[in-house]
Amino acid sequence: MLTKDNKDTSKYNVNNIEEIKKASPKVAGLIAKEYERQLNNIELIASENYCSEAVLAACGSCLSWKYAEGYPYNRTSGNLGRYYGGTEFVDELEEYCCDQWRKVFNTDYHVNVQPHSGSQANFSAYAALLEPGDTVLSMSLDNGGHLTHGSSVNFSGKLYDIHFYDVNEDGIIDMPMVREKARELKPKLILAGASAYARVLDFQEFANIAKEVGAYFMVDMAHIAGLIAAGEHNSPFGYADVITTTTHKTLRGPRGGLIFAKPELAKKIDSKVFPYAQGGPLEHIIAGKAICAEEAQTEEYKQYIKQVVKNSKAFAKAFLDLGYKVVTGGTDNHLFMVDLREKKFSGRILQERLDENQITLNKNCVPGDPRSPKETSGIRVGTAPMTTRGYVESDFVKVAQKIDEIIKELDQEFA
């Protein structure tokens, strides 16, 4: 695992670089360069993190070439087995992975560990609950939602009749408006979850509204799943009909997705993952997901998440103390956005300048953003990856000060 001081790359995730070099010096060189970038840059992208050596090893294991279309045989659930032979051990692995994720979130929900990504998890969940053209009420990308929550350029916006609830002038979800729009629209599905929202989500109130109008309630907890697992954010289990997540981000696992569903929806969910949306599952990634689930149950992991949140709060406060506007005025989780609408330069320009100074983050729209999504008037920052590398509150204060110096340089250039 990366640390902020250790520069010895031989013991980390390029320890197989010699084998790669034998086959492709070009690919090996690019991997090594990316590793050096990750090691030397301050990584603030809220959707990224560093996984353990065990997860990396599982993802590069012999499971990489095992095909296993279908599900482990289960007479009770109706899963009729695989379409390939030789699946005895991957069946056991997949069932073990499912059991571990139920333990992580202390739930009896059905689990599908096969989605290749969070977006594919959302695609399959929608397909299980909706027909094309059905009405969905969700949070827009501009207000902090995700591309798959109804953006017009995404499958979600093209297949379904998407309507958005808003945030108030402080950037907080306007729950009275959610109820008002739900009563007006009578959606088939109400979705909670975000990719750039810094405050706690009220799952109980969302569930109450969904029940009132007869809608399914779905939660995309991809960003905050690690906080929920560690008890640093309230849980959607028991409230939502379907819950999707990634296994990277705050969970520190491999790139991949999960779907949790109330037991009565299990067959619908499974059939919309396979065979509707995907073919063979990635059993090597499922092995990484299983290890990730085990790690998420440890006390060490819970303490890590506590530090992620402490760091995020300290980081946001440092920007506020420096005179910047932080969307919602602070944060309750692992991320927040800095509002640059008053600046003459865009979030894109700041992102590029920070890249030149070995600070990695992403441009992001802020609520009411006058600039295009390609330019944006904000930046999104997250504390999960650098907390993995050992940063504490004082380190993030220094990072805020460095970003402030670079912003001031841009102010001079654009004066």
Side-chain angles (χ1 to χ4, degrees):
M1 193 172 290
L2 295 172
T3 64
K4 60 182 178 180
D5 298 318
N6 199 319
K7 301 294 186 182
D8 181 8
T9 62
S10 65
K11 62 176 69 172
Y12 296 117
N13 66 348
V14 289
N15 61 0
N16 57 353
I17 200 72
E18 294 305 319
E19 290 301 313
I20 300 173
K21 279 181 182 177
K22 292 175 186 177
S24 176
K26 177 67 174 181
V27 171
L30 291 171
I31 292 173
K33 286 178 180 178
E34 170 58 14
Y35 185 77
E36 285 299 317
R37 187 198 66 79
Q38 292 183 19
L39 188 66
N40 294 318
N41 278 29
I42 296 170
E43 298 287 345
L44 301 177
I45 294 180
S47 51
E48 292 186 2
N49 212 332
Y50 303 97
C51 59
S52 69
E53 293 298 305
V55 169
L56 285 173
C59 293
S61 70
C62 65
L63 295 172
S64 297
W65 53 76
K66 179 55 192 160
Y67 245 107
E69 284 186 348
Y71 295 98
Y73 175 77
N74 188 310
R75 189 192 306 270
T76 303
S77 70
N79 293 332
L80 300 179
R82 308 285 192 177
Y83 291 82
Y84 289 82
T87 61
E88 174 187 356
F89 301 116
V90 293
D91 281 1
E92 186 176 347
L93 169 66
E94 197 165 318
E95 290 177 330
Y96 178 76
C97 186
C98 291
D99 289 341
Q100 289 304 304
W101 282 110
R102 277 187 281 267
K103 288 181 180 179
V104 169
F105 294 107
N106 190 28
T107 182
D108 62 354
Y109 276 42
H110 173 72
V111 191
N112 190 306
V113 298
Q114 292 192 5
H116 300 332
S117 69
S119 292
Q120 285 193 287
N122 285 348
F123 180 83
S124 297
Y126 289 145
L129 302 176
L130 305 169
E131 296 294 333
D134 279 346
T135 301
V136 177
L137 183 59
S138 69
M139 176 183 267
S140 71
L141 192 63
D142 289 349
N143 284 331
H146 188 257
L147 192 68
T148 58
H149 297 176
S151 174
S152 61
V153 298
N154 184 255
F155 76 85
S156 53
K158 293 181 182 298
L159 290 178
Y160 305 106
D161 179 25
I162 306 289
H163 296 261
F164 299 114
Y165 49 82
D166 293 323
V167 295
N168 61 26
E169 59 184 14
D170 296 318
I172 306 294
I173 293 173
D174 190 335
M175 292 306 295
M177 176 179 285
V178 176
R179 174 170 271 107
E180 180 182 338
K181 287 199 169 187
R183 287 174 174 173
E184 173 192 346
L185 296 166
K186 296 292 192 295
K188 184 77 171 291
L189 175 70
I190 296 177
L191 176 64
S195 64
Y197 185 69
R199 295 301 182 177
V200 171
L201 295 167
D202 189 345
F203 297 127
Q204 184 173 5
E205 185 63 7
F206 271 108
N208 289 340
I209 294 169
K211 184 176 181 180
E212 182 182 326
V213 300
Y216 284 116
F217 176 38
M218 174 177 158
V219 171
D220 179 348
M221 65 175 186
H223 265 274
I224 55 173
L227 280 70
I228 293 167
E232 293 295 312
H233 190 291
N234 59 54
S235 174
F237 289 91
Y239 296 116
D241 297 296
V242 172
I243 301 165
T244 61
T245 185
T246 53
T247 47
H248 43 290
K249 301 186 177 79
T250 52
L251 283 170
R252 291 203 299 194
R255 296 292 297 271
L258 304 172
I259 305 176
F260 298 85
K262 289 185 175 178
E264 60 269 26
L265 294 171
K267 290 182 71 172
K268 284 186 175 182
I269 291 293
D270 285 354
S271 69
K272 295 304 182 183
V273 175
F274 174 84
Y276 182 77
Q278 297 181 183
L282 307 178
E283 293 296 343
H284 54 305
I285 303 300
I286 289 173
K289 291 174 182 178
I291 295 169
C292 172
E294 291 178 319
E295 292 173 348
Q297 296 174 61
T298 64
E299 183 59 31
E300 178 186 359
Y301 178 79
K302 292 179 174 62
Q303 292 305 314
Y304 158 72
I305 289 294
K306 287 181 186 296
Q307 190 62 50
V308 167
V309 176
K310 288 180 182 178
N311 286 345
S312 188
K313 290 178 181 292
F315 202 15
K317 183 178 183 300
F319 276 104
L320 291 167
D321 290 346
L322 289 165
Y324 293 95
K325 181 179 179 182
V326 172
V327 177
T328 77
T331 181
D332 297 320
N333 58 28
H334 65 298
L335 62 79
F336 59 91
M337 290 188 293
V338 180
D339 188 334
L340 303 169
R341 276 180 292 186
E342 296 178 358
K343 298 294 182 180
K344 294 182 180 179
F345 53 87
S346 67
R348 179 188 62 81
I349 289 171
L350 177 56
Q351 174 189 305
E352 292 173 353
R353 181 60 59 86
L354 290 169
D355 260 335
E356 294 169 6
N357 287 270
Q358 295 186 302
I359 298 174
T360 309
L361 48 70
N362 63 278
K363 63 183 182 292
N364 213 96
C365 291
V366 296
D369 202 322
R371 293 188 174 101
S372 74
K374 291 183 178 180
E375 291 294 327
T376 82
S377 297
I379 54 171
R380 182 187 68 164
V381 297
T383 57
M386 294 310 294
T387 304
T388 296
R389 287 171 60 178
Y391 272 40
V392 294
E393 293 94 323
S394 58
D395 294 307
F396 282 99
V397 172
K398 292 175 183 176
V399 175
Q401 292 168 347
K402 179 60 177 176
I403 293 173
D404 176 53
E405 291 175 11
I406 294 167
I407 289 174
K408 285 183 167 59
E409 291 174 2
L410 285 171
D411 282 336
Q412 292 296 316
E413 291 178 24
F414 282 82

